[in-house]
Amino acid sequence: YHFASQFAVGLVEWSYHDETNSTAFYLPPSFPYWTSLFLFGFCIAHEYCKVEGKTGIVGITDFAQAALGDIVFVDLPEVGDEFEKGDSFGSVESVKAASDVYAPVSGTVVEINEILNDEPGMVNTAAESDAWFIKLEVDDDSEVDELMGEADYKDHCEKEAQ
């Protein structure tokens, strides 16, 4: 997937390209177009994957951190570690419980969020933004398509909470 921007006649053009499709759309410059720069998907086990180019930014969802309570420790893998979709790549511990964290897509770890070593509680305040766990170089783009979208994930969480 590729997103590209071009400025033409006061509008911002965003293009989506893959092996078989090409789509372009135009937005006024005041539109918060940065929300269209990435694909965001969710797993049943409450991990998210925000994909920017070939990099997947992975962490636990806000739903997961709320269910866990106050997080006191995050165990992260090493840069260079490789994981298949569904593999456990680390764990998170709270005052209530410990839980494994699973790779939503296959890939190689290219970066870990070192801040979480000293500030694991950051997951409670910024789970789906600054408190990401790892960045993966995504091996298979088709696995991204298999992730739940926001509406499906919301339905999943509502059913699980019942």
Side-chain angles (χ1 to χ4, degrees):
Y1 300 104
H2 305 282
F3 288 93
S5 63
Q6 300 170 335
F7 296 92
V9 196
L11 297 177
V12 178
E13 177 188 11
W14 290 101
S15 301
Y16 165 83
H17 307 281
D18 65 21
E19 294 80 30
T20 59
N21 298 308
S22 180
T23 304
F25 52 96
Y26 298 89
L27 302 169
S30 60
F31 185 83
Y33 53 85
W34 57 88
T35 60
S36 299
L37 289 174
F38 53 82
L39 302 172
F40 211 104
F42 302 89
C43 296
I44 291 173
H46 304 290
E47 292 85 15
Y48 67 83
C49 184
K50 179 171 62 171
V51 179
E52 298 175 336
K54 289 291 286 176
T55 303
I57 302 170
V58 178
I60 64 170
T61 65
D62 193 53
F63 182 90
Q65 71 78 20
L68 285 166
D70 293 335
I71 294 173
V72 296
F73 179 75
V74 178
D75 180 36
L76 299 173
E78 298 290 324
V79 170
D81 287 352
E82 296 179 8
F83 297 97
E84 294 296 317
K85 178 181 178 180
D87 286 352
S88 173
F89 70 79
S91 64
V92 60
E93 296 178 16
S94 72
V95 294
K96 291 183 187 178
S99 180
D100 284 337
V101 184
Y102 301 95
V105 295
S106 301
T108 303
V109 177
V110 294
E111 187 177 347
I112 63 169
N113 192 346
E114 299 276 355
I115 296 170
L116 298 181
N117 291 329
D118 296 326
E119 299 179 44
M122 184 179 185
V123 176
N124 293 114
T125 59
E128 294 180 18
S129 59
D130 295 335
W132 54 271
F133 285 19
I134 61 173
K135 292 184 181 181
L136 290 172
E137 182 178 333
V138 177
D139 287 345
D140 184 353
D141 290 340
S142 69
E143 291 178 349
V144 175
D145 296 333
E146 296 169 5
L147 298 172
M148 286 185 279
E150 188 174 350
D152 289 336
Y153 180 69
K154 182 179 177 188
D155 290 343
H156 169 68
C157 291
E158 288 172 357
K159 288 176 186 171
E160 196 170 281
Q162 293 177 353

